[in-house]
Amino acid sequence: MKKVIVACGGAVATSTVAANKIRELAKREGIPAEVSQCRVNELDSKKDGIDLIVTTAKVKKDYGVPVVHGVAFISGVNMEATEQKILDVLKK
């Protein structure tokens, strides 16, 4: 089971949209994944045991976990490239 955390800057509106799309992507690709959500400022306390962090806010910090910028799930721009980056991590 792969564990993904989706983080946004403020409330959880954009992370909810992104998390749902990541769940759909994992299901479509046959990858068992647990997708949870949090705020960016909570990542330090929630990163343990996580395989991938997807953010809808700009993040420069190194969490020791692969980070994919997931604004494409909100804007629709570069969706395929973003999905491929996520799959590259989840298929390892």
Side-chain angles (χ1 to χ4, degrees):
M1 174 76 69
K2 296 292 183 173
K3 293 188 177 185
V4 180
I5 194 159
V6 182
C8 64
V12 292
T14 58
S15 65
T16 299
V17 172
N20 287 336
K21 291 186 178 183
I22 293 166
R23 286 182 189 105
E24 291 169 11
L25 174 64
K27 184 177 180 180
R28 183 174 76 229
E29 295 292 324
I31 301 169
E34 176 184 307
V35 182
S36 59
Q37 296 162 240
C38 73
R39 291 185 176 102
V40 168
N41 63 2
E42 297 174 309
L43 282 172
D44 270 325
S45 65
K46 297 187 179 238
K47 69 179 189 241
D48 293 340
I50 296 296
D51 297 294
L52 173 65
I53 295 170
V54 178
T55 67
T56 58
K58 291 280 186 188
V59 173
K60 294 181 182 178
K61 184 173 182 175
D62 182 0
Y63 293 97
V65 176
V67 176
V68 173
H69 188 55
V71 76
F73 293 118
I74 309 308
S75 69
V77 177
N78 292 324
M79 181 80 84
E80 288 181 14
T82 301
E83 287 181 343
Q84 190 57 56
K85 287 178 186 175
I86 290 169
L87 290 174
D88 288 347
V89 173
L90 295 184
K91 289 183 175 180
K92 286 183 180 178

